Amino acid sequence: MVRPISKVAPQWWDYTTLDEELLTDVARLSAEDIAGLSRPGFRVVMYDTLEDFYLAEALEYIAAWRQATDDRPAGICGPIGPTEQLPLVARLVNELELDLHAAHFWGMDEWVDQQGVPVPADHPLSFARADMELCFHRIRPGLRMPASHLHFPTGDLAAYSRTYDEIRCVVMQGGQGEVKHWAFNDPPKREGAYQDQPPSPAEYRRLAARVTDLHPMTVIQNARTSGGGQVSLVPTRAATVGPVETWKAEKVSIWQAGCHDNPFGMRLTTLMIAKRVPDASVPMSLLAEHPNVQFNFYRPGIGTVAAEMH
């Protein structure tokens, strides 16, 4: 079957190239329908307040770090987007006096310039900077993990990838962007062998930590959410954790408050994962093949899919 051309970026694959019948089914889903899409290996959790939502996200850090020992270090891979959980993590560590000497943390992505060099920590959009300022610098010095236990994809990406074999990743958190990515696992370009069909799920899952080009939708979204709409501020390439590392995480936990994707997009990936319909044009849908995935929703943020003029 000939796949449609993207309505937003004709040189790329994305969710607008999916079968129209699937897209129509997605639009019909109510919040109650979404809540009922859990299955073995995929759990949908709803939160009625933002306080409960972000506290639950922060507690995943605490639960992971509590499992770290000298003999078996452990940690969590965390996102920038959302970020509201990060100050809560620091507060919980301090209040609980949680010693993090055996704990680890992975940053999941970082911007790079056109030469493939990670942006410096003083770049206004640096993810590593956000992690440090919002969380790790707020933890009392006596409780902090060693600097060597902070793993950011800003240097040797092969070495970064190997840490997932050396250290137990209890959970990989993420948000969902408008292009339906986790980290910067964006849909691929429509070129070469993938001119007429996107790569198969098995092919896409072979991607490890890497520097990648960003779908135009991702650039626009990050300008909107993080740069006041200043598109020129947003790099068009990034380093990202890949599916290879993601499948080494014991659990993947995606947090959706309705800020980084829209009502249609949140419905789309939930249905595709629940019904086991992986497609590389919707990278998040590939998590249908991971054995332990949880989608966390702020219920009022789910919204509705309907024509509404503004």
Side-chain angles (χ1 to χ4, degrees):
M1 184 181 70
V2 177
R3 295 277 293 256
I5 299 295
S6 167
K7 290 186 175 181
V8 294
Q11 288 77 40
W12 291 76
W13 291 101
D14 56 55
Y15 70 94
T16 67
T17 69
L18 291 171
D19 181 75
E20 189 63 34
E21 184 176 348
L22 172 61
L23 299 179
T24 300
D25 289 342
V26 166
R28 295 193 185 109
L29 293 173
S30 67
E32 291 70 27
D33 293 332
I34 295 172
L37 287 173
S38 293
R39 60 162 173 79
F42 177 53
R43 185 179 180 216
V44 177
V45 181
M46 296 287 183
Y47 302 87
D48 291 321
T49 68
L50 285 174
E51 291 85 355
D52 194 24
F53 179 89
Y54 289 119
L55 177 59
E57 185 175 9
L59 285 170
E60 284 194 336
Y61 286 69
I62 304 303
W65 288 340
R66 275 182 160 166
Q67 297 178 51
T69 64
D70 291 330
D71 293 336
R72 197 180 186 201
I76 183 171
C77 179
I80 296 297
T83 59
E84 289 85 349
Q85 75 282 0
L86 293 173
L88 300 178
V89 172
R91 181 177 290 276
L92 287 167
V93 170
N94 290 335
E95 291 296 328
L96 296 171
E97 298 187 340
L98 182 62
D99 185 346
L100 301 181
H101 76 275
H104 287 252
F105 173 80
W106 291 268
M108 65 191 326
D109 41 23
E110 185 59 279
W111 304 106
V112 302
D113 63 23
Q114 290 304 311
Q115 287 70 47
V117 177
V119 299
D122 61 357
H123 190 284
L125 294 182
S126 167
F127 293 154
R129 172 185 175 177
D131 276 316
M132 299 307 294
E133 290 184 353
L134 293 175
C135 182
F136 293 102
H137 286 166
R138 301 186 185 199
I139 295 173
R140 293 208 308 270
L143 299 175
R144 293 176 189 169
M145 64 185 65
S148 61
H149 290 195
L150 295 168
H151 311 283
F152 295 106
T154 55
D156 184 342
L157 294 182
Y160 170 85
S161 182
R162 285 195 297 272
T163 61
Y164 287 87
D165 296 315
E166 299 162 354
I167 302 149
R168 179 183 169 217
C169 183
V170 178
V171 61
M172 180 179 289
Q173 286 189 348
Q176 176 170 298
E178 289 184 8
V179 82
K180 323 310 169 207
H181 63 201
W182 82 99
F184 279 125
N185 291 293
D186 279 18
K189 290 182 177 178
R190 193 166 190 155
E191 61 184 11
Y194 308 126
Q195 184 66 47
D196 299 320
Q197 294 286 334
S200 68
E203 288 177 285
Y204 196 105
R205 278 186 53 186
R206 288 198 287 270
L207 295 173
R210 65 205 183 280
V211 172
T212 186
D213 294 328
L214 301 177
H215 192 286
M217 198 181 302
T218 295
V219 177
I220 294 294
Q221 177 191 351
N222 279 273
R224 175 179 62 81
T225 59
S226 304
Q230 188 178 357
V231 176
S232 61
L233 182 67
V234 181
T236 59
R237 307 183 79 205
T240 183
V241 67
V244 167
E245 294 79 27
T246 301
W247 260 255
K248 293 175 182 177
E250 296 175 6
K251 178 181 179 181
V252 178
S253 185
I254 305 299
W255 294 82
Q256 308 196 63
C259 304
H260 296 93
D261 199 10
N262 51 57
F264 181 86
M266 292 187 285
R267 286 163 168 78
L268 175 66
T269 54
T270 309
L271 183 66
M272 293 181 76
I273 293 174
K275 301 301 183 184
R276 294 185 171 91
V277 185
D279 189 296
S281 70
V282 183
M284 188 70 79
S285 73
L286 302 187
L287 294 178
E289 299 178 335
H290 191 284
N292 187 9
V293 177
Q294 182 168 310
F295 268 22
N296 304 274
F297 289 100
Y298 171 49
R299 191 186 301 270
I302 292 174
T304 58
V305 181
E308 183 180 355
M309 299 303 176
H310 292 279

